[in-house]
Amino acid sequence: MPDSTGDPAATELADVTTTRAAYDGIADLYANVFKHRLERQALDRAMLAAFAESVADNGSGAVADLGCGPGRVTAHLATLGAEVFGIDLSARMVALARAEFPHLSFAQGSLEQLAIGNGTLGGLVAWYSLIHTPPDRIPQVLREFHRVLAAEGHVLLAFQTADLPDAVEAFDHKVTRAYRWAPKRLARLLTEAGFTMIARMVREPVSGERFGQAYLLASKVL
């Protein structure tokens, strides 16, 4: 768990405030729409299973679901044996997650300033939670991920793909401004932040999705 929840609004940037307010406003609808989404997405479950097995094989500790929303991915990882907790920017999302999954721990916080000690996590997941962060701040977020992971800890990212092979593109996300990434470009930033790439997967959009979906699995370099 994080060391403390603090006040996430105390020193945050304007875009972060906007994102939190947007997800507070949409949280109940979002939770209802996505509640059973993983049950219909075998490839997504396969990537989460590969991540959970990698963390278990390494034996390196707890897993953080960063940007956990109403807790559906957190709960799924728990069924895979992960010692997992969730963090989300939105207070309403955290409240919904706690109500739906009272056996798990959830806290409010920011991806960019994690209240987690150095080298304490066995793994972390950012499941579509990097997409609202402006691209120029992503390298620092990835360095923050590297900081909190133990040696050989694992990170799993999920995001919408860009159309061009090495691009990052803004798009009209239904909640608030967001960015699509070329997997090659985000993988390069992971490497520059001190990670070793393990796997990448891109799948075609299914019903209700407009873009391809990408997944990157990497581990912290010793």
Side-chain angles (χ1 to χ4, degrees):
M1 278 296 296
D3 299 327
S4 63
T5 56
D7 179 5
T11 59
E12 71 188 17
L13 298 169
D15 63 274
V16 179
T17 301
T18 298
T19 298
R20 182 197 305 105
Y23 275 98
D24 278 341
I26 202 74
D28 293 80
L29 175 61
Y30 182 101
N32 183 62
V33 168
F34 286 94
K35 186 172 184 177
H36 299 293
R37 180 66 63 92
L38 273 176
E39 297 172 11
R40 304 189 299 272
Q41 294 178 321
L43 292 175
D44 293 31
R45 296 197 309 275
M47 287 303 300
L48 289 165
F51 165 80
E53 184 173 333
S54 296
V55 172
D57 286 347
N58 191 37
S60 53
V63 170
D65 179 12
L66 302 177
C68 64
R72 65 191 182 95
V73 171
T74 322
H76 182 73
L77 287 168
T79 68
L80 299 176
E83 179 191 343
V84 61
F85 62 89
I87 297 176
D88 199 86
L89 191 63
S90 162
R92 181 57 184 163
M93 287 290 196
V94 170
L96 291 173
R98 288 171 173 169
E100 181 73 14
F101 307 107
H103 59 294
L104 299 175
S105 296
F106 298 93
Q108 192 177 6
S110 168
L111 297 179
E112 299 185 68
Q113 295 178 318
L114 294 169
I116 299 172
N118 295 347
T120 57
L121 296 180
L124 63 83
V125 173
W127 199 256
Y128 297 94
S129 53
L130 290 178
I131 65 172
H132 300 298
T133 302
D136 65 309
R137 300 210 306 268
I138 291 296
Q140 176 55 40
V141 173
L142 298 180
R143 289 193 292 270
E144 180 74 346
F145 289 179
H146 190 274
R147 178 187 69 80
V148 300
L149 281 171
E152 299 184 352
H154 289 76
V155 57
L156 175 63
L157 309 181
F159 52 97
Q160 293 91 344
T161 60
D163 294 328
L164 298 176
D166 197 29
V168 54
E169 303 167 0
F171 73 100
D172 56 336
H173 190 276
K174 293 180 180 179
V175 180
T176 189
R177 184 177 179 84
Y179 303 87
R180 299 186 284 145
W181 286 81
K184 176 182 177 180
R185 183 164 180 165
L186 195 50
R188 185 167 64 245
L189 293 183
L190 275 169
T191 301
E192 291 171 357
F195 291 95
T196 296
M197 290 302 306
I198 297 173
R200 67 188 73 185
M201 180 182 76
V202 176
R203 67 167 175 81
E204 295 300 310
V206 298
S207 177
E209 297 174 342
R210 291 180 289 164
F211 311 112
Q213 312 294 306
Y215 311 84
L216 300 178
L217 178 63
S219 64
K220 179 175 177 176
V221 176
L222 289 175

